[in-house]
Amino acid sequence: MKGLGGLRNVVRQELVARQLDEQIGARFPVGRRLRVLDVGLGQGTQALRLARVGHRVTGIESDAEMLAAARAALAAEPEGIRARVRLVEGDGRDTGVHFLPGSFDVVLCHGVLMYVDEPDGLLAGLARMLAPGGLLSLLVRNADALAMRPGLSGDWPTALTAFDTTAYTNRIGLEVRADRRADLTATLAGIGAPLHAWYGVRVFTDTVPDEAGLPPEAELTALLAAEERAGRTDPYRSVAALTHLCGVRG
């Protein structure tokens, strides 16, 4: 977990990794080298992790600063891993410009939809990138639990407003949008990649300060175990800060 930053990001990346590995393991033969597309790859945490275990990964990112960070992280990897990763500067809504339909076994779109006002077109394009039986992994802000963070922080006016909206202000001050699981379930069915499984991410640790570091190893292990259990257990997963949805291309 070295290099993942503070506790909130470690929880996010580690839980998503475990959940993604579970879905990949259930859908593909052990040892198969998959073709992975990471849309909005950010600093490349999941892309590099998948490349390290042998998959061929293409990352697409529109933010120049994030892309530079991903390239720097890739440059620090051994040559064999670097050879399995391709980084592309571009917008996730233009995947059809860069790739042929059915080119990938797994498509990741993590932490992207909140910046897209109308996500249906983006999601339809991502589904077209999948080969039959391919896995679409989405990580979104959970609109059904938008009142949790302000409520737990004692910000009652914001908590009350959050019950009736999908808009919110994120921690870096940007006005963005959350998604409801029911809406995405309908969208995934409509684009031919119906929902197969879903998880909650950051049930207990979403209100932790950004600057919070990691606790001692034993405590972190227990914390992650509790978060992982909550993320797959009702009713806890329904109030997680983030929702991880996995659709499968028919």
Side-chain angles (χ1 to χ4, degrees):
M1 300 174 200
K2 182 180 178 181
L4 291 184
L7 178 60
R8 293 176 76 256
N9 192 50
V10 165
V11 171
R12 167 184 161 165
Q13 298 292 355
E14 180 64 19
L15 262 65
V16 169
R18 295 180 186 186
Q19 295 158 1
L20 189 57
D21 286 350
E22 178 177 74
Q23 293 302 313
I24 288 175
R27 297 216 60 79
F28 302 101
V30 175
R32 177 174 166 181
R33 304 309 188 195
L34 302 175
R35 302 163 298 165
V36 180
L37 175 63
D38 190 349
V39 175
L41 83 157
Q43 300 177 72
T45 301
Q46 295 298 331
L48 290 178
R49 185 185 69 83
L50 291 168
R52 291 185 193 115
V53 297
H55 303 306
R56 299 194 67 85
V57 183
T58 299
I60 184 167
E61 175 60 60
S62 60
D63 185 279
E65 186 174 341
M66 286 291 187
L67 189 59
R71 284 174 172 153
L74 179 60
E77 296 289 333
E79 181 180 354
I81 294 173
R82 295 199 305 270
R84 289 195 289 271
V85 179
R86 176 191 175 199
L87 300 181
V88 177
E89 184 171 6
D91 193 296
R93 288 167 287 197
D94 298 327
T95 50
V97 174
H98 301 284
F99 316 110
L100 293 174
S103 295
F104 298 95
D105 304 300
V106 178
V107 173
L108 314 181
C109 184
H110 297 166
V112 173
L113 290 195
M114 59 271 292
Y115 299 106
V116 180
D117 291 334
E118 299 292 339
D120 288 8
L122 167 64
L123 293 174
L126 300 187
R128 285 193 291 271
M129 294 298 104
L130 284 169
L135 179 69
L136 176 59
S137 171
L138 305 175
L139 186 68
V140 304
R141 181 70 180 178
N142 181 10
D144 295 320
L146 277 184
M148 289 297 293
R149 184 191 293 172
L152 291 172
S153 301
D155 181 356
W156 308 120
T158 301
L160 286 168
T161 299
F163 285 107
D164 302 309
T165 184
T166 58
Y168 70 103
T169 302
N170 66 15
R171 288 202 175 192
I172 60 175
L174 296 178
E175 295 292 329
V176 287
R177 186 188 55 77
D179 287 282
R180 300 191 187 280
R181 178 165 50 88
D183 294 339
L184 286 177
T185 298
T187 298
L188 289 172
I191 62 176
L195 184 66
H196 177 73
W198 70 278
Y199 308 87
V201 175
R202 282 207 312 255
V203 174
F204 304 123
T205 53
D206 190 54
T207 57
V208 170
D210 288 335
E211 64 274 12
L214 302 185
E217 184 175 352
E219 183 180 344
L220 179 60
T221 298
L223 183 158
L224 289 170
E227 282 278 11
E228 183 176 16
R229 179 73 178 271
R232 61 177 68 243
T233 304
D234 292 322
Y236 305 101
R237 62 178 179 165
S238 297
V239 295
L242 306 170
T243 306
H244 183 194
L245 304 98
C246 298
V248 175
R249 180 72 171 171

